[in-house]
Amino acid sequence: MTPDDHNGLSHEEAAKRLKVEGPNQLPKPNRRHLLRILLDVLREPMFSLLIGGGVIYWLLGDTTEALLLLVFASISVSITLIQESRSERVLESLRDLASPRAQVIRSGERLTIAGTEVVRGDLIVVNEGDRVAADSHLLSAHDLLVDESLLTGESVAVTKIAPDETTHAKDNSDQQRIYAGTLVVRGTGIAQVSAIGLDTEMGHIGHALSSIDTEQAHLQQQLRWLVRDFAILGAIAALLVVALYGLLRGSWLEAILGGIAIGMSLLPEEFPLVMAVFMAMGAWRISQARVLTRRAAAIETLGATTVLCTDKTGTLTQNRMTLMALVSGNQPWLVNDQQPLGDADSQLLEAALLACAAMPSDPMDLAVQRLAQHHTRLDRFQQAQGLRAYGLRPELFATTNILHCKGEPEPRAYTKGALEAIAQLCHLPPPRLAELTTQANQLAQQGMRVLAVAQAPVPAGELPESPTALHFDYLGLLAFADPLRDTVPAAVAECQSAGIRVVMITGDYPTTASAIARQAGLPPSDVLVGDELEQLSDIQLAERVKTTSIFARIRPQQKLRLVQCLKSNGDIVAMTGDGVNDAPAIKAAHIGIAMGGRGTDVAREASSIVLLDDDFGSIVKTIRLGRRIYDNLRKAIEFIVAVHIPIAGLAILPLLMGLPLILTPIHIAFLEMVIDPACSVVFEAEQEEEDVMTRPPRDPQTPLLVGERIGWAVTQGLVALALLAGLLIGGAYLDMPENDLRALVFGALVLFNMGLILINRSFRASLASAFLRPNRSLWILLSAVSITLAIAVSWPPAQQLFSFGSFHWNEFLVCIALGVVSLMVLEGIKLVWFRKKSV
């Protein structure tokens, strides 16, 4: 088919190409369905071991215990399934259609079809407001203006011009091509599709993502190592206990039960569950701030961020062009000053309005109309009779309207455009042009885009072929800006106080980027432009990015290179963006943050976090939450380590002293899979530490439990074990019945666990503040655990299940007294321990 064949493809040919070449869409990522999520969960060794313990109990004939263990395991699996499935469902609801609907010409007819059905060679018709369905070459165009910011990062729409149809020229210049995913903001055109799906510019960027590996959260690796180490220790201890118990006492059945108890007491089944709960609750908390977490562990990693790379257009700025100043004389009239318009400025604004399209869609036309609503009469514009309109042309970058306004004797022409073009129409002398150029440059240095405005009388009955035939009078300059989001300066300041460097990477001009950077509060910095960046080696660039915070005229692959250089310097990099051009860098960063409102599917799929309201300030909220989650997770892990010591000690001590088993696998499973994880959830709801956003980012390579923290956790556990061992030995010395002794020690162990929660609520706060700091979950949990303990030691069916005897009030008071003693001892140790230690 040739370009001059405006009948388009035949229906038969289009159907044939659709069958051979496939639909016009990017491949959708593989969704994690329930079965896949379930298999991933079951691969966790701790879940598998717990299920294995249930199976062993079943084989030994203890059906009730086996079922309980399996129920406890299913609780953990269910929590993870619910969170992962929820994230996938929310993401699916966020996705736009893979491609828009399109108007095509086939067999001479205009049809509206799904964008996925557009084929190579189709003729597509584009109008104002349409999103282009596929990469295409223009065959004809009238006043066509296209917003390509999702591909290029450039905030100003681009003029598109068709080749000369009389010569049937096929010029591949960028000005004669329109791209899939871009938005037509003004005019109309007909184009021939040259590429669909993965072959489009958007498809090339999306395909490149498959070669970029997503960073795995270091915390997940640390927890796996921690679980692995505990698993090895537990397995060794369990084998030794089975061998020694069987050989010394001759009861291999009890030896197996004792081995299972020891192994379970040392295997931290809670770690994966606590991690899942913390990430699920963290994702829920930030969802209240309109932030979607695609990979929950990313919340924690964001708390370690050292460099936050951000796009400008639509991220720092509102992506909403605003008329900021009018210059009709030597002093500009500024919108923010809220001064009344003078006569000359009022005439300038009115002429600019009359130079706009009758139904404006261009961002600058809309900005003029918004300002005019407050400062001039719109009825003159609305009642004017349009006689002729002249669009942008390569030889004259200006738009012109000839209008006959009500009450005026003759028509007038109104024009706005580049200063050079308006100077040409007004025949301005060089000195005057130089003076105006100085004014325009001063505005440009403030990050503004400048248009000039003029008007001319039109003799009645004469409509020239070009506005150059008219004699225009210069009226003044219009200065536009894409304003900064209101929340950005405070967000940038908070990042800086938290030791996070904010870096702007944009496709816009250096002067605009510098102006926005100053407004946002970024530190002074040289601007590195894309062409200069291209000349630097990786080593040179890695050195340059250490001190440069503003990068302008940057192309997509250069964004990716910048992120990689920052990572090579050891920085933890978060990258924000909304366009297809941002997607490779978003995926390569440790944390990718996409804009959900304006962002593309490609950017969202590459990201870890999606800002549903496109608010840059939400990033800082997420960083704060990430740091809080890490602090509270560390408190929970320390608590788990501490409570495992008395549990393991009470499982081993009877074997060493020749006493009956106090804790069997059913007791340990009950403690670890119900009480301990539930207690850990309380830490998730803890308030943040006072210095959470004033201390520098933590080193992600730092172990979750450093030496001093392990020492503190072990100290807590040993104090609790010493008191419990004394209680056990004392009860045995008094010849308490086995079941009564078991109930006494178990009750004391649960109360000690509750006390350890209070001790670990804060790194430094006192025990008194632990009772005063608000945490509704804590008191709900302590009440629930107390009720559960009361039922377990007093309700006959529960007593039978757990092999408990009677539990008297005097024994309960002994447990309370020992619990108070443990709190006092640990509080004293804590005051000394953390007096000179960092957390």
Side-chain angles (χ1 to χ4, degrees), residues 339-354:
Q339 296 295 323
L341 279 175
D343 292 340
D345 291 325
S346 181
Q347 182 183 11
L348 169 61
L349 180 59
E350 185 173 289
L353 178 64
L354 293 169

mmCIF file with all atom_site columns, all heavy atoms in Angstrom, residues 339-354:
data_model
loop_
_atom_site.group_PDB
_atom_site.id
_atom_site.type_symbol
_atom_site.label_atom_id
_atom_site.label_alt_id
_atom_site.label_comp_id
_atom_site.label_asym_id
_atom_site.label_entity_id
_atom_site.label_seq_id
_atom_site.pdbx_PDB_ins_code
_atom_site.Cartn_x
_atom_site.Cartn_y
_atom_site.Cartn_z
_atom_site.occupancy
_atom_site.B_iso_or_equiv
_atom_site.pdbx_formal_charge
_atom_site.auth_seq_id
_atom_site.auth_comp_id
_atom_site.auth_asym_id
_atom_site.auth_atom_id
_atom_site.pdbx_PDB_model_num
ATOM 1   N N   . GLN A 1 339 ? -1.586  41.640 42.259 1.00 0.00 ? 339 GLN A N   1
ATOM 2   C CA  . GLN A 1 339 ? -1.858  43.053 42.005 1.00 0.00 ? 339 GLN A CA  1
ATOM 3   C C   . GLN A 1 339 ? -2.872  43.175 40.873 1.00 0.00 ? 339 GLN A C   1
ATOM 4   O O   . GLN A 1 339 ? -2.957  42.319 39.997 1.00 0.00 ? 339 GLN A O   1
ATOM 5   C CB  . GLN A 1 339 ? -0.558  43.772 41.612 1.00 0.00 ? 339 GLN A CB  1
ATOM 6   C CG  . GLN A 1 339 ? 0.494   43.780 42.718 1.00 0.00 ? 339 GLN A CG  1
ATOM 7   C CD  . GLN A 1 339 ? 0.048   44.575 43.920 1.00 0.00 ? 339 GLN A CD  1
ATOM 8   O OE1 . GLN A 1 339 ? -0.605  45.616 43.790 1.00 0.00 ? 339 GLN A OE1 1
ATOM 9   N NE2 . GLN A 1 339 ? 0.377   44.082 45.115 1.00 0.00 ? 339 GLN A NE2 1
ATOM 10  N N   . PRO A 1 340 ? -3.672  44.259 40.853 1.00 0.00 ? 340 PRO A N   1
ATOM 11  C CA  . PRO A 1 340 ? -4.620  44.430 39.737 1.00 0.00 ? 340 PRO A CA  1
ATOM 12  C C   . PRO A 1 340 ? -3.875  44.651 38.427 1.00 0.00 ? 340 PRO A C   1
ATOM 13  O O   . PRO A 1 340 ? -2.774  45.202 38.394 1.00 0.00 ? 340 PRO A O   1
ATOM 14  C CB  . PRO A 1 340 ? -5.418  45.676 40.157 1.00 0.00 ? 340 PRO A CB  1
ATOM 15  C CG  . PRO A 1 340 ? -4.544  46.376 41.131 1.00 0.00 ? 340 PRO A CG  1
ATOM 16  C CD  . PRO A 1 340 ? -3.756  45.337 41.847 1.00 0.00 ? 340 PRO A CD  1
ATOM 17  N N   . LEU A 1 341 ? -4.504  44.205 37.345 1.00 0.00 ? 341 LEU A N   1
ATOM 18  C CA  . LEU A 1 341 ? -3.907  44.372 36.017 1.00 0.00 ? 341 LEU A CA  1
ATOM 19  C C   . LEU A 1 341 ? -3.977  45.832 35.572 1.00 0.00 ? 341 LEU A C   1
ATOM 20  O O   . LEU A 1 341 ? -5.005  46.495 35.725 1.00 0.00 ? 341 LEU A O   1
ATOM 21  C CB  . LEU A 1 341 ? -4.644  43.508 34.989 1.00 0.00 ? 341 LEU A CB  1
ATOM 22  C CG  . LEU A 1 341 ? -4.282  42.027 34.911 1.00 0.00 ? 341 LEU A CG  1
ATOM 23  C CD1 . LEU A 1 341 ? -5.207  41.342 33.918 1.00 0.00 ? 341 LEU A CD1 1
ATOM 24  C CD2 . LEU A 1 341 ? -2.846  41.831 34.495 1.00 0.00 ? 341 LEU A CD2 1
ATOM 25  N N   . GLY A 1 342 ? -2.859  46.303 34.977 1.00 0.00 ? 342 GLY A N   1
ATOM 26  C CA  . GLY A 1 342 ? -2.897  47.608 34.329 1.00 0.00 ? 342 GLY A CA  1
ATOM 27  C C   . GLY A 1 342 ? -3.548  47.502 32.964 1.00 0.00 ? 342 GLY A C   1
ATOM 28  O O   . GLY A 1 342 ? -3.825  46.404 32.467 1.00 0.00 ? 342 GLY A O   1
ATOM 29  N N   . ASP A 1 343 ? -3.770  48.630 32.320 1.00 0.00 ? 343 ASP A N   1
ATOM 30  C CA  . ASP A 1 343 ? -4.439  48.618 31.023 1.00 0.00 ? 343 ASP A CA  1
ATOM 31  C C   . ASP A 1 343 ? -3.641  47.841 29.986 1.00 0.00 ? 343 ASP A C   1
ATOM 32  O O   . ASP A 1 343 ? -4.199  47.052 29.206 1.00 0.00 ? 343 ASP A O   1
ATOM 33  C CB  . ASP A 1 343 ? -4.659  50.062 30.541 1.00 0.00 ? 343 ASP A CB  1
ATOM 34  C CG  . ASP A 1 343 ? -5.679  50.810 31.399 1.00 0.00 ? 343 ASP A CG  1
ATOM 35  O OD1 . ASP A 1 343 ? -6.471  50.129 32.086 1.00 0.00 ? 343 ASP A OD1 1
ATOM 36  O OD2 . ASP A 1 343 ? -5.675  52.049 31.383 1.00 0.00 ? 343 ASP A OD2 1
ATOM 37  N N   . ALA A 1 344 ? -2.321  48.059 29.937 1.00 0.00 ? 344 ALA A N   1
ATOM 38  C CA  . ALA A 1 344 ? -1.498  47.378 28.934 1.00 0.00 ? 344 ALA A CA  1
ATOM 39  C C   . ALA A 1 344 ? -1.467  45.874 29.177 1.00 0.00 ? 344 ALA A C   1
ATOM 40  O O   . ALA A 1 344 ? -1.563  45.075 28.226 1.00 0.00 ? 344 ALA A O   1
ATOM 41  C CB  . ALA A 1 344 ? -0.078  47.950 28.945 1.00 0.00 ? 344 ALA A CB  1
ATOM 42  N N   . ASP A 1 345 ? -1.351  45.462 30.441 1.00 0.00 ? 345 ASP A N   1
ATOM 43  C CA  . ASP A 1 345 ? -1.335  44.030 30.746 1.00 0.00 ? 345 ASP A CA  1
ATOM 44  C C   . ASP A 1 345 ? -2.694  43.399 30.461 1.00 0.00 ? 345 ASP A C   1
ATOM 45  O O   . ASP A 1 345 ? -2.785  42.257 30.005 1.00 0.00 ? 345 ASP A O   1
ATOM 46  C CB  . ASP A 1 345 ? -0.959  43.810 32.218 1.00 0.00 ? 345 ASP A CB  1
ATOM 47  C CG  . ASP A 1 345 ? 0.491   44.161 32.487 1.00 0.00 ? 345 ASP A CG  1
ATOM 48  O OD1 . ASP A 1 345 ? 1.331   43.926 31.600 1.00 0.00 ? 345 ASP A OD1 1
ATOM 49  O OD2 . ASP A 1 345 ? 0.788   44.659 33.593 1.00 0.00 ? 345 ASP A OD2 1
ATOM 50  N N   . SER A 1 346 ? -3.771  44.143 30.737 1.00 0.00 ? 346 SER A N   1
ATOM 51  C CA  . SER A 1 346 ? -5.106  43.629 30.451 1.00 0.00 ? 346 SER A CA  1
ATOM 52  C C   . SER A 1 346 ? -5.299  43.433 28.945 1.00 0.00 ? 346 SER A C   1
ATOM 53  O O   . SER A 1 346 ? -5.862  42.425 28.504 1.00 0.00 ? 346 SER A O   1
ATOM 54  C CB  . SER A 1 346 ? -6.159  44.594 31.007 1.00 0.00 ? 346 SER A CB  1
ATOM 55  O OG  . SER A 1 346 ? -7.458  44.111 30.759 1.00 0.00 ? 346 SER A OG  1
ATOM 56  N N   . GLN A 1 347 ? -4.801  44.401 28.139 1.00 0.00 ? 347 GLN A N   1
ATOM 57  C CA  . GLN A 1 347 ? -4.896  44.269 26.688 1.00 0.00 ? 347 GLN A CA  1
ATOM 58  C C   . GLN A 1 347 ? -4.060  43.078 26.203 1.00 0.00 ? 347 GLN A C   1
ATOM 59  O O   . GLN A 1 347 ? -4.487  42.328 25.319 1.00 0.00 ? 347 GLN A O   1
ATOM 60  C CB  . GLN A 1 347 ? -4.410  45.553 26.012 1.00 0.00 ? 347 GLN A CB  1
ATOM 61  C CG  . GLN A 1 347 ? -4.529  45.521 24.488 1.00 0.00 ? 347 GLN A CG  1
ATOM 62  C CD  . GLN A 1 347 ? -3.961  46.778 23.843 1.00 0.00 ? 347 GLN A CD  1
ATOM 63  O OE1 . GLN A 1 347 ? -3.299  47.587 24.491 1.00 0.00 ? 347 GLN A OE1 1
ATOM 64  N NE2 . GLN A 1 347 ? -4.204  46.948 22.549 1.00 0.00 ? 347 GLN A NE2 1
ATOM 65  N N   . LEU A 1 348 ? -2.895  42.872 26.814 1.00 0.00 ? 348 LEU A N   1
ATOM 66  C CA  . LEU A 1 348 ? -2.036  41.742 26.452 1.00 0.00 ? 348 LEU A CA  1
ATOM 67  C C   . LEU A 1 348 ? -2.729  40.415 26.744 1.00 0.00 ? 348 LEU A C   1
ATOM 68  O O   . LEU A 1 348 ? -2.737  39.499 25.907 1.00 0.00 ? 348 LEU A O   1
ATOM 69  C CB  . LEU A 1 348 ? -0.716  41.833 27.244 1.00 0.00 ? 348 LEU A CB  1
ATOM 70  C CG  . LEU A 1 348 ? 0.214   40.621 27.216 1.00 0.00 ? 348 LEU A CG  1
ATOM 71  C CD1 . LEU A 1 348 ? 0.660   40.315 25.786 1.00 0.00 ? 348 LEU A CD1 1
ATOM 72  C CD2 . LEU A 1 348 ? 1.422   40.854 28.116 1.00 0.00 ? 348 LEU A CD2 1
ATOM 73  N N   . LEU A 1 349 ? -3.323  40.282 27.938 1.00 0.00 ? 349 LEU A N   1
ATOM 74  C CA  . LEU A 1 349 ? -3.987  39.036 28.302 1.00 0.00 ? 349 LEU A CA  1
ATOM 75  C C   . LEU A 1 349 ? -5.188  38.766 27.408 1.00 0.00 ? 349 LEU A C   1
ATOM 76  O O   . LEU A 1 349 ? -5.422  37.624 26.982 1.00 0.00 ? 349 LEU A O   1
ATOM 77  C CB  . LEU A 1 349 ? -4.417  39.094 29.776 1.00 0.00 ? 349 LEU A CB  1
ATOM 78  C CG  . LEU A 1 349 ? -5.141  37.864 30.312 1.00 0.00 ? 349 LEU A CG  1
ATOM 79  C CD1 . LEU A 1 349 ? -4.282  36.617 30.187 1.00 0.00 ? 349 LEU A CD1 1
ATOM 80  C CD2 . LEU A 1 349 ? -5.554  38.089 31.780 1.00 0.00 ? 349 LEU A CD2 1
ATOM 81  N N   . GLU A 1 350 ? -5.943  39.810 27.089 1.00 0.00 ? 350 GLU A N   1
ATOM 82  C CA  . GLU A 1 350 ? -7.116  39.629 26.229 1.00 0.00 ? 350 GLU A CA  1
ATOM 83  C C   . GLU A 1 350 ? -6.699  39.198 24.834 1.00 0.00 ? 350 GLU A C   1
ATOM 84  O O   . GLU A 1 350 ? -7.315  38.312 24.226 1.00 0.00 ? 350 GLU A O   1
ATOM 85  C CB  . GLU A 1 350 ? -7.931  40.916 26.178 1.00 0.00 ? 350 GLU A CB  1
ATOM 86  C CG  . GLU A 1 350 ? -9.238  40.765 25.401 1.00 0.00 ? 350 GLU A CG  1
ATOM 87  C CD  . GLU A 1 350 ? -10.122 41.995 25.508 1.00 0.00 ? 350 GLU A CD  1
ATOM 88  O OE1 . GLU A 1 350 ? -10.681 42.225 26.602 1.00 0.00 ? 350 GLU A OE1 1
ATOM 89  O OE2 . GLU A 1 350 ? -10.226 42.712 24.503 1.00 0.00 ? 350 GLU A OE2 1
ATOM 90  N N   . ALA A 1 351 ? -5.642  39.805 24.296 1.00 0.00 ? 351 ALA A N   1
ATOM 91  C CA  . ALA A 1 351 ? -5.156  39.421 22.973 1.00 0.00 ? 351 ALA A CA  1
ATOM 92  C C   . ALA A 1 351 ? -4.644  37.987 22.980 1.00 0.00 ? 351 ALA A C   1
ATOM 93  O O   . ALA A 1 351 ? -4.857  37.225 22.021 1.00 0.00 ? 351 ALA A O   1
ATOM 94  C CB  . ALA A 1 351 ? -4.052  40.376 22.518 1.00 0.00 ? 351 ALA A CB  1
ATOM 95  N N   . ALA A 1 352 ? -3.966  37.594 24.049 1.00 0.00 ? 352 ALA A N   1
ATOM 96  C CA  . ALA A 1 352 ? -3.483  36.214 24.155 1.00 0.00 ? 352 ALA A CA  1
ATOM 97  C C   . ALA A 1 352 ? -4.645  35.244 24.174 1.00 0.00 ? 352 ALA A C   1
ATOM 98  O O   . ALA A 1 352 ? -4.596  34.170 23.546 1.00 0.00 ? 352 ALA A O   1
ATOM 99  C CB  . ALA A 1 352 ? -2.641  36.054 25.419 1.00 0.00 ? 352 ALA A CB  1
ATOM 100 N N   . LEU A 1 353 ? -5.726  35.590 24.885 1.00 0.00 ? 353 LEU A N   1
ATOM 101 C CA  . LEU A 1 353 ? -6.912  34.740 24.922 1.00 0.00 ? 353 LEU A CA  1
ATOM 102 C C   . LEU A 1 353 ? -7.525  34.603 23.532 1.00 0.00 ? 353 LEU A C   1
ATOM 103 O O   . LEU A 1 353 ? -7.899  33.498 23.109 1.00 0.00 ? 353 LEU A O   1
ATOM 104 C CB  . LEU A 1 353 ? -7.922  35.321 25.900 1.00 0.00 ? 353 LEU A CB  1
ATOM 105 C CG  . LEU A 1 353 ? -9.259  34.581 26.028 1.00 0.00 ? 353 LEU A CG  1
ATOM 106 C CD1 . LEU A 1 353 ? -9.035  33.176 26.596 1.00 0.00 ? 353 LEU A CD1 1
ATOM 107 C CD2 . LEU A 1 353 ? -10.224 35.356 26.924 1.00 0.00 ? 353 LEU A CD2 1
ATOM 108 N N   . LEU A 1 354 ? -7.598  35.713 22.801 1.00 0.00 ? 354 LEU A N   1
ATOM 109 C CA  . LEU A 1 354 ? -8.198  35.672 21.462 1.00 0.00 ? 354 LEU A CA  1
ATOM 110 C C   . LEU A 1 354 ? -7.306  34.931 20.472 1.00 0.00 ? 354 LEU A C   1
ATOM 111 O O   . LEU A 1 354 ? -7.784  34.480 19.421 1.00 0.00 ? 354 LEU A O   1
ATOM 112 C CB  . LEU A 1 354 ? -8.461  37.092 20.978 1.00 0.00 ? 354 LEU A CB  1
ATOM 113 C CG  . LEU A 1 354 ? -9.544  37.846 21.768 1.00 0.00 ? 354 LEU A CG  1
ATOM 114 C CD1 . LEU A 1 354 ? -9.551  39.328 21.390 1.00 0.00 ? 354 LEU A CD1 1
ATOM 115 C CD2 . LEU A 1 354 ? -10.920 37.228 21.524 1.00 0.00 ? 354 LEU A CD2 1
#
